[in-house]
């Protein structure tokens, strides 16, 4: 491995680590606004703040020429379709299940990444990494089903979102080959806004202005830190690393969500959930460890 390739991988791993930390706060912050405003309205207003921030960033980076690249149109459109569906399902699910369950089930996108992408060129992992992913999945199931199988409507909706995630990420990665991250994020968000607004207007009661004001902190956090900064880190990470590996590193996010929920919401995890954390951490080390070693070897050449 060349020095340039090693540097590219280190950058991708750094971006993934930052994304994991921010994403661990997403279910908690989103759940707060969902309770007050409804799932679709919480998604719409969070996305609205994100679009404003993304528009300023996009203009400041002078990415106007990206719109001339017609090869990006189809992957951008598909990215918007799948990402919008993913987050709509997630926000609605938060009305019916806990923030911890949302974080854990979304992590299961790693399983669907191997099912959908495991045989694609550039996305294959070594045997040790595949075993690590299996351990992580088993750990997640222990956390999700602490002693009994009880799949609620919210859990089912998030499971659908987890199934959509690998496809959305694949199209994001393709779009990133033609245009910049600011363009990918802005276009997908702009296309989503009117769709989510109509769905929210049709399916939910409209919140008052005072209710929206009260939820500004959580809406701004989700809009700026999650839909803006975290997604920039995510796109840059999957641009430099296999999607399957970035999803594997994402295993630490639900563990952090469990910690934040215990600390802030006084929701102590079940001992089954703590037990499940062990294979998740070991699996994540296996998945990333082989790659870290290859990076070190490549840097010495």
């Amino acid at each position: 491995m060349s020095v340039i390739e090693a540097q590219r991988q280190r950058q991708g791993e750094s971006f993934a680590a930052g994304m994991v930390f921010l994403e661990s706060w997403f279910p908690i912050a989103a759940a707060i606004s969902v309770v007050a405003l409804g799932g679709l309205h919480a998604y719409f207003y969070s996305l609205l703040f994100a679009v404003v921030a993304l528009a300023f960033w996009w203009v400041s980076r002078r990415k106007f020429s990206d719109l001339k690249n017609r090869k990006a149109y189809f992957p951008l459109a598909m990215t918007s379709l799948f990402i919008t569906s993913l987050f709509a399902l997630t926000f609605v699910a938060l009305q019916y299940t806990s923030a911890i369950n949302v974080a854990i089930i979304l992590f299961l996108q790693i399983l669907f990444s191997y099912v959908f992408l495991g045989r694609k060129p550039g996305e294959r992992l070594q045997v040790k990494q595949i075993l690590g992913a299996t351990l992580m999945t088993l750990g997640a199931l222990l956390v999700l089903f602490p002693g009994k199988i009880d799949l609620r409507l919210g859990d089912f909706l998030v499971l659908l979102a987890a199934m959509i995630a690998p496809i959305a990420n694949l199209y994001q990665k393709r779009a990133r080959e033609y245009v910049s991250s600011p363009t990918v994020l802005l276009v997908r968000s702009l296309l989503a806004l009117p769709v989510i607004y109509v769905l929210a207007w049709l399916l939910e009661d409209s919140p008052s202005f005072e209710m929206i004001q009260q939820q500004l902190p959580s809406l701004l956090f989700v809009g700026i830190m999650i839909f803006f900064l975290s997604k920039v880190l995510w796109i840059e990470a999957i641009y430099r690393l296999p999607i399957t590996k970035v999803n594997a590193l994402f295993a630490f996010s639900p563990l952090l969500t469990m910690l934040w929920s215990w600390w802030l919401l006084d929701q102590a995890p079940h001992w089954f959930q703590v037990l499940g954390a062990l294979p998740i951490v070991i699996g994540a080390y296996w998945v990333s460890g082989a790659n870290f070693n290859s990076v070190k070897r490549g840097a010495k050449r």
Side-chain angles (χ1 to χ4, degrees):
M1 181 184 297
S2 68
V3 174
I4 295 178
E5 291 173 340
Q7 183 179 15
R8 178 185 176 89
Q9 290 201 10
R10 283 196 296 269
Q11 288 177 340
E13 289 156 1
S14 298
F15 290 140
M19 175 272 300
V20 165
F21 177 77
L22 290 176
E23 288 288 336
S24 67
W25 287 99
F26 165 64
I28 297 174
I32 295 172
S33 58
V34 165
V35 170
L37 306 179
L40 294 175
H41 278 95
Y43 180 21
F44 171 77
Y45 288 108
S46 297
L47 191 61
L48 183 61
F49 288 123
V51 166
V52 173
L54 286 167
F56 276 108
W57 187 44
W58 188 78
V59 172
S60 67
R61 295 287 299 274
R62 300 181 182 276
K63 296 299 181 180
F64 309 104
S65 60
D66 282 354
L67 300 180
K68 298 179 181 179
N69 193 337
R70 296 189 177 184
K71 292 182 179 179
Y73 287 4
F74 179 73
L76 282 173
M78 297 304 292
T79 296
S80 181
L81 171 64
F82 288 112
I83 288 292
T84 303
S85 301
L86 187 160
F87 279 109
L89 288 169
T90 302
F91 272 86
V92 172
L94 282 165
Q95 297 177 261
Y96 304 102
T97 191
S98 68
I100 293 179
N101 275 26
V102 167
I104 295 166
I105 300 175
L106 279 179
F107 158 73
L108 291 180
Q109 62 185 275
I110 184 175
L111 175 63
F112 299 113
S113 291
Y114 286 106
V115 172
F116 299 150
L117 306 178
R119 296 182 178 275
K120 295 185 68 64
E123 298 295 340
R124 296 181 181 180
L125 298 183
Q126 301 172 10
V127 173
K128 186 176 181 180
Q129 293 171 307
I130 294 175
L131 291 175
T134 303
L135 267 180
M136 293 161 67
T137 301
L138 291 175
L141 291 175
L142 278 175
V143 177
L144 181 60
F145 304 121
K148 62 179 181 179
I149 297 178
D150 182 19
L151 192 63
R152 292 171 288 184
L153 173 61
D155 298 332
F156 177 71
L157 293 177
V158 184
L159 188 62
L160 289 179
M163 295 176 68
I164 292 173
I167 303 173
N169 291 328
L170 180 61
Y171 280 109
Q172 280 194 123
K173 187 167 186 173
R174 289 177 180 175
R176 180 61 181 83
E177 293 174 0
Y178 299 112
V179 295
S180 63
S181 295
T183 300
V184 174
L185 291 172
L186 180 61
V187 170
R188 85 179 200 189
S189 300
L190 280 174
L191 292 177
L193 267 182
V195 176
I196 298 303
Y197 177 79
V198 171
L199 288 176
W201 180 72
L202 290 174
L203 301 177
E204 295 179 350
D205 295 331
S206 298
S208 65
F209 181 71
E210 290 73 20
M211 294 170 64
I212 297 171
Q213 278 186 312
Q214 291 174 357
Q215 298 305 313
L216 274 180
S218 59
L219 293 174
L220 283 169
F221 180 86
V222 174
I224 305 300
M225 303 304 291
I226 303 299
F227 288 161
F228 179 20
L229 181 56
S230 176
K231 299 315 173 189
V232 171
L233 295 175
W234 176 268
I235 291 177
E236 292 303 321
I238 64 175
Y239 180 59
R240 290 166 173 80
L241 299 172
I243 295 173
T244 43
K245 181 182 177 180
V246 178
N247 277 335
L249 296 175
F250 189 62
F252 291 103
S253 183
L255 299 182
L256 290 174
T257 301
M258 290 171 60
L259 178 62
W260 310 146
S261 296
W262 192 1
W263 176 35
L264 296 175
L265 305 179
D266 199 28
Q267 295 179 354
H270 192 279
W271 72 271
F272 257 87
Q273 295 174 312
V274 177
L275 182 64
L278 181 61
I280 289 177
V281 173
I282 295 175
Y285 174 78
W286 280 6
V287 169
S288 60
N291 198 281
F292 290 154
N293 293 333
S294 65
V295 169
K296 293 177 181 177
R297 289 194 298 268
K300 293 178 180 178
R301 292 183 183 178

